[in-house]
Amino acid sequence: MKRILVTGGAGFIGSHLCKRLLDEGNDVICLDNFFTGCKDNIRKLLSNDHFELVRHDITKEYYAEVDQIYNLACPASPPHYQYNPIKTIKTSVLGMINMLGLAKRCKSVILQASTSEVYGDPAIHPQVESYWGNVNPIGIRSCYDEGKRCAETLMMDYHRQNGVNTRIVRIFNTYGPNMDMNDGRVVSNFIVQALKGEDITIYGDGTQTRSFCYVSDLVEGMIRMMNNSQDFIGPVNLGNPSEFTIGDFAKLVIKMTNSNSKLVYKPLPKDDPCRRRPDISEAKRILNWEPKVSVEEGLAKTIKYFEQKIKEFN
Ligand code: NAD
Ligand code: UDP
């Protein structure tokens, strides 16, 4: 049995990761400041003796004895990370330094939840790990993009300078149950709008693309990366290569929810990337990982989750 720290464990991805790690017989410390996460996501885990919930902010030091650290703490939705951009960059940079200090002291393996945003508005397609990206350093997305890029730099420098055992995964758009209904990301927005019969808000003309990965596939990839025996430190892309235009994705959600919602067009947020699709050859070759859940299958489960949430709120 390992003792595993999951920062951001009460968030969307973190809550699935905590559950899976507990199911595999580990001791899990879930650390969260509840900025975008919530107790509902982990309520069922609270009765498990091997689960410990800690309210803490990773911009402050944290001490525990752990074998592994999954560092997920950071708001992921653009409206949330732009709400307090200085806090967002502090979370990525100071938080990363604190977690790397912990990993160094405990000699634990640390995995950083990085992002496809390190590629910015990519000039090459699909995105490969060797691509250095096209990121605006002074725009409204920079607090997140540059924060995550700096976190990757810190991971590599602690690895080279201090021999810390690091792993970087670059996560592409992931969705599933436990996403916050109001967090403003495209999957939750479209499904909730469709289920409520409200207008579906397409930003821009809807020709920009994203590739959507179901959360159980992502969690499997993260765990394989953490435990891979080849000392492969990454960075490695984790995502589902099935790429949709946002317009087509809206139509798919309308079809799958049998909704009468209409499409409405809103201004495209500044620096919104035009295209995004992961090249996952590295993950396939080294981790023997690829997504198993089709977008239709994953969407059906997510729609069911939001139907239930909407009922609870009414
Ligand atoms: P989320 O917002 O649901 O979860 C983030 C969690 O971190 C929340 O529980 C939040 O309360 C917590 N948190 C934020 N700042 C903190 C701080 N300073 N100290 C302690 N806890 C803090 O987002 P998510 O979608 O679950 O994303 C998890 C991680 O994966 C993030 O680091 C995100 O950048 C990364 N990621 C996610 C996606 C995606 O599509 N979901 C894509 C790329 C990268
Ligand atoms: N988007 C949209 N309508 C919404 C929310 C998002 O058209 O209600 C678009 C957004 O402009 C972007 C894409 O959907 O092009 C994905 O947005 P999201 O916020 O989910 O994540 P991103 O990949 O941009 O970080």
Side-chain angles (χ1 to χ4, degrees), residues 10-138:
F12 155 53
I13 297 172
S15 56
H16 289 274
L17 179 61
C18 286
K19 179 169 186 319
R20 169 82 192 263
L21 294 172
L22 283 171
D23 289 347
E24 288 177 358
N26 298 292
D27 246 342
V28 173
I29 304 175
C30 165
L31 180 155
D32 209 293
N33 71 351
F34 296 106
F35 173 46
T36 52
C38 66
K39 277 204 188 142
D40 260 357
N41 284 346
I42 43 151
R43 198 169 299 284
K44 287 190 184 137
L45 312 182
L46 291 171
S47 57
N48 188 323
D49 283 347
H50 297 290
F51 184 73
E52 210 174 318
L53 177 62
V54 178
R55 182 185 287 265
H56 183 80
D57 192 305
I58 60 159
T59 59
K60 307 286 178 219
E61 288 177 4
Y62 174 72
Y63 291 90
E65 304 306 316
V66 293
D67 303 302
Q68 294 186 341
I69 304 168
Y70 287 88
N71 187 39
L72 276 67
C74 184
S77 149
H80 283 160
Y81 71 64
Q82 286 163 21
Y83 170 76
N84 185 345
I86 296 170
K87 178 66 200 243
T88 299
I89 202 156
K90 279 186 180 170
T91 295
S92 282
V93 177
L94 297 178
M96 187 82 260
I97 291 171
N98 288 331
M99 291 307 115
L100 280 161
L102 180 64
K104 183 181 163 193
R105 186 176 59 77
C106 297
K107 297 193 174 27
S108 37
V109 195
I110 179 166
L111 178 145
Q112 165 64 357
S114 191
T115 169
S116 53
E117 294 285 329
V118 300
Y119 302 122
D121 192 8
I124 64 151
H125 194 74
Q127 290 77 58
V128 282
E129 290 87 351
S130 54
Y131 177 51
W132 290 355
N134 176 33
V135 174
N136 176 358
I138 56 168

Side-chain angles (χ1 to χ4, degrees), residues 76-79 81 116-117 141 173 184-187 189-190 193 201-204 208-210 212 246 268-269 272-273 276:
S77 149
Y81 71 64
S116 53
E117 294 285 329
R141 293 175 84 101
N173 295 65
R185 281 181 273 187
V186 69
V187 178
N189 272 12
F190 283 6
Q193 289 163 343
T201 53
I202 295 189
Y203 302 160
Q208 72 271 36
T209 70
R210 293 293 186 273
F212 297 103
I246 293 302
L268 188 67
D272 200 287
R276 212 184 266 155

